[in-house]
Amino acid sequence: MHKNTIIIGILGGAGPDATIDLQAALSQAMKTEANAQTDQAHFRVITDNNTTITDRSLGLHGKGPTPLPDIIKTATNLVKMGCHILLYPCNTAHVFLPQIQQCIPHTQLLDMVQLTCDHIQHRLSSSQTIGILCTDITKQYGLYENISDKTIIYPSENQQAHVMLAIFLAKAGYWYHAPKTHDAVRAITDYLHQVGDYQYSPEVVCQPAAQLLDGAVIDLKKQGADTVVLGCT
């Protein structure tokens, strides 16, 4: 199949920034890897940044409806629009990949997690201890543990709580600065209390996402990690 006839679909919305980042990275890769010199030389990409899909963390924790029907409907719509390959920029939602693929048997749904594991296995052979920064669900389901001959580690319990806070601070736009209002802090901490019964001190909540993740990386390095996977888009 000629490049110009292949349509790539992005099953987006989880979250919206990750979806946009993926499309930007994909466009850049078309220039550097596929030598696209003109607009017409790029692959066609159809993106559904579907933020109406129900919350995957609450669903997988059994505290809300499953998002699977919404995900499958979005994937099916992209296939109906002519997509030949689908990308899903959400690590946590890869729990649902087998069920999604079953509903679109003639369209390839790339497994981002497995591709990362394969890259580590074959391209980072010298790495022995892999630290994973991810959501509780990704950890619980062991999505990144399919790497043979490697030791997989996660942040300590306290640092994992910080990772969860960092993820949702980043989603709200607080990468390099902390929330400035009580309402902003309350919205994030109330959600995390609902997801994982997390409680945070004021000293922790006033840190931006990047600072919290730095602490988690240091924790992984102290445990012996020589490679760290950013396992949440």
Side-chain angles (χ1 to χ4, degrees):
M1 187 178 291
H2 190 270
K3 179 169 66 177
N4 286 346
T5 65
I6 296 175
I7 302 175
I8 299 170
I10 298 180
L11 204 172
D17 290 347
T19 304
I20 294 166
D21 287 346
L22 174 60
Q23 183 154 7
L26 193 58
S27 180
Q28 183 62 32
M30 290 180 197
K31 300 165 192 169
T32 58
E33 305 297 328
N35 197 34
Q37 301 295 313
T38 64
D39 295 345
Q40 293 72 30
H42 283 245
F43 289 91
R44 182 181 176 185
V45 178
I46 300 175
T47 300
D48 186 350
N49 205 341
N50 187 359
T51 55
T52 68
I53 294 174
T54 54
D55 191 281
R56 53 212 176 278
S57 292
L58 291 176
L60 285 163
H61 278 289
K63 298 180 179 180
T66 175
L68 186 56
D70 291 338
I71 297 170
I72 289 173
K73 182 178 180 180
T74 305
T76 302
N77 285 341
L78 286 167
V79 172
K80 288 178 179 178
M81 294 175 71
C83 295
H84 302 94
I85 301 171
L86 296 189
L87 313 178
Y88 197 178
C90 176
N91 287 263
T92 299
H94 273 55
V95 169
F96 297 117
L97 239 63
Q99 296 99 309
I100 303 167
Q101 185 66 80
Q102 189 174 20
C103 293
I104 49 168
H106 303 296
T107 302
Q108 183 180 11
L109 175 59
L110 294 187
D111 188 333
M112 174 176 65
V113 173
Q114 188 58 53
L115 288 169
T116 303
C117 291
D118 291 344
H119 179 84
I120 293 170
Q121 188 74 57
H122 301 299
R123 303 289 295 274
L124 300 175
S125 57
S126 61
S127 295
Q128 295 301 316
T129 303
I130 315 299
I132 311 294
L133 296 176
C134 63
T135 64
D136 290 347
I137 288 292
T138 299
K139 177 183 177 182
Q140 178 184 328
Y141 280 81
L143 296 183
Y144 276 100
E145 294 178 19
N146 189 24
I147 311 174
S148 61
D149 303 321
K150 307 289 185 187
T151 300
I152 306 300
I153 63 173
Y154 299 93
S156 64
E157 183 177 354
N158 183 58
Q159 287 296 327
Q160 178 62 26
H162 290 186
V163 169
M164 287 293 289
L165 177 59
I167 288 169
F168 289 93
L169 283 170
K171 282 179 174 292
Y174 302 111
W175 256 114
Y176 300 109
H177 64 278
K180 297 184 183 301
T181 68
H182 175 76
D183 287 346
V185 171
R186 184 70 180 270
I188 295 169
T189 55
D190 281 358
Y191 172 80
L192 287 168
H193 181 69
Q194 186 180 6
V195 168
D197 200 26
Y198 286 114
Q199 301 283 353
Y200 296 99
S201 68
E203 293 78 13
V204 171
V205 174
C206 72
Q207 298 179 52
Q211 186 174 342
L212 291 168
L213 289 178
D214 282 347
V217 171
I218 291 170
D219 177 73
L220 289 171
K221 290 178 69 176
K222 287 180 178 178
Q223 293 186 56
D226 50 40
T227 298
V228 174
V229 173
L230 301 179
C232 182
T233 52

